[in-house]
Amino acid sequence: MFPRKPVWGLASLMALVGLVFAACGTPATPRAQGTEPSTTTPPPPAKTTTAQRAKVEVFSWWVGGGEAAGLDAMMKIFKAQNPEIEFINAAVAGGAGTNARAILASRLQAGDPPDSWQGHAGQELIGTYVKAHQLEPLNFLYEQEKWLDVMPKTLIPLISQDGNIYSVPVNIHRSNVLWYNPRILAENNLPVPTTLDEFIADLEKLNSTGIIPLAMGEQWTAMHLFETILLASLGPEKYSGLWTGKTDWDGPETRHALENFEKVLSYTNNDATTLAWQDAAQLVVNGDAAFNIMGDWTEAYYKELGKTPRVDYGWAPVPGTTGVFQFLSDSFVLPIGAPNREGAIAWLKLAGSKAGQDAFNPVKGSIPARSDADRSLYDEYLQSAMADWARDTLVGSLYHGVVANDSWKTEINTDLGIFLTDKNVDRLQAALMSACKSSGPCH
Ligand code: GAL
């Protein structure tokens, strides 16, 4: 095994606080983007009554398409462990939380939080919910459940601020995965591409065959593609530097990355905006498209469709990103004022437990956040992901909450939306620079 090389956004600060954390057993403190150190002590938790203990409302975006099965598996255990608590599954459909997060935001604004919700480790958590003082620290649970012994040291700084830990990671997902149709590649004499140049050459070759070279879906999947092409073009260190201010959004290397993105986009299907991520992924296993770039939740979906690994689909790191694991982590939180605080704590205990993670992840298509999983429960892809997570260079996902807080991500999303229509690289680069100035670390 090679030594770990974490190079994600906020790298230097996190590396430092990670060391402090490891040495002292107290959590590290990443700063929310665009914030000063918080001196506010979180308000005391809401008092619960016996009547309020009887239910728990858990909010996520895991609805079907391979996503719901994992949640179901955890729900079953929850019900067996807590027969007196009614489990309310408040999942809202829409890949990557596109709808769910908007609904959550309005509920939070109206002072109507669910008892626990799915949030991504990183700036989505720290720069959004923690910054708005919406969450209770969970240090007491980490101590009680001895989670610090089993949760990755690389993850704790991403869910902590000022010595407080704010969420319970249930998994690790990888965003930089290339899914391909092995038959189409074989028929066209194409080995699996490993560099961006090879990939673009393959896309060009496939373009004349009538097969969709690269399947893509609605706008968030374009931003997902964008983060992987930025990584492939810039490499891990410069990609991570975009989120800390070290890499120049205005510079020639970023420009080259944007040109690569434009090029790759030109080989995608025309009806992308009408397709969910599942529809785009399905084009590959149906033999209509050669490639799709999507997170590893895709595998759970393929399995749900009854497809066979290595026959109906193959996988590889996005060309140009071999040895780099672009990650995200789904985690669950305890809001200040949770209507059913005890039910929420029971849910969080399960989400952080070995039994919960080993029931959820093999079905969800993610690897467990905990280091003590039973590997025999995981399939070939997931075992390979576990090996890569342990040895690859780590960088954070943009769309899935690690490197940019919500306001920065929203600005980038708006800029990309315009780009999908005007394809104007000059305008996009200027807009991304100005987004970094208004919401990120650029001055
Ligand atoms: C991500 C989430 C994954 C999966 C995916 C597609 O944001 O972390 O667990 O749900 O969206 O919906």
Side-chain angles (χ1 to χ4, degrees), residues 61-62 67 94-97 118 120 171 173 220 277 294 297 328-330 364 399-400:
W61 55 86
W62 294 328
E67 308 255 80
Q118 173 192 358
H120 289 122
N171 70 2
H173 265 306
W220 77 261
W277 69 264
M294 190 33 62
W297 43 88
L328 56 125
S329 169
D330 292 307
K364 172 68 170 75
Y399 195 83
H400 308 281

Side-chain angles (χ1 to χ4, degrees), residues 13 19 23-24 27 64 94 106 119 140 172 174 178 191 228 232 234 294 299 334 354 363 383 421 427 440:
L13 174 61
L19 285 176
C24 311
S106 47
F140 68 99
I172 307 287
R174 184 175 195 171
L178 177 76
T228 68
L234 293 168
M294 190 33 62
E299 215 229 351
L334 179 62
K354 180 164 152 55
V363 196
Q383 290 196 8
T421 309
R427 192 209 50 78

Side-chain angles (χ1 to χ4, degrees), residues 132-210:
H133 306 294
Q134 287 162 330
L135 301 182
E136 259 196 60
L138 297 171
N139 300 39
F140 68 99
L141 265 185
Y142 275 76
E143 274 158 35
Q144 202 179 300
E145 304 297 309
K146 305 207 179 346
W147 283 338
L148 292 176
D149 298 341
V150 289
M151 294 292 187
K153 299 247 183 309
T154 45
L155 214 51
I156 298 294
L158 289 170
I159 55 173
S160 304
Q161 181 159 292
D162 297 338
N164 292 317
I165 311 179
Y166 284 98
S167 72
V168 181
V170 68
N171 70 2
I172 307 287
H173 265 306
R174 184 175 195 171
S175 73
N176 60 322
V177 186
L178 177 76
W179 303 97
Y180 60 86
N181 181 311
R183 184 184 51 77
I184 294 179
L185 294 203
E187 281 172 8
N188 289 280
N189 294 319
L190 298 174
V192 179
T194 57
T195 67
L196 208 44
D197 286 346
E198 282 170 17
F199 184 44
I200 291 172
D202 289 358
L203 295 173
E204 178 58 33
K205 186 163 178 204
L206 289 160
N207 210 19
S208 54
T209 63

Side-chain angles (χ1 to χ4, degrees), residues 196 200 229 233 256-265:
L196 208 44
I200 291 172
I229 300 299
S233 305
H256 184 55
L258 300 182
E259 285 166 355
N260 282 336
F261 178 56
E262 184 199 12
K263 187 91 191 134
V264 168
L265 266 187

Side-chain angles (χ1 to χ4, degrees), residues 95 99 147 176 284 309 326 329 371 379:
N99 305 327
W147 283 338
N176 60 322
V284 171
Q326 198 165 24
S329 169
S371 55
D379 69 14

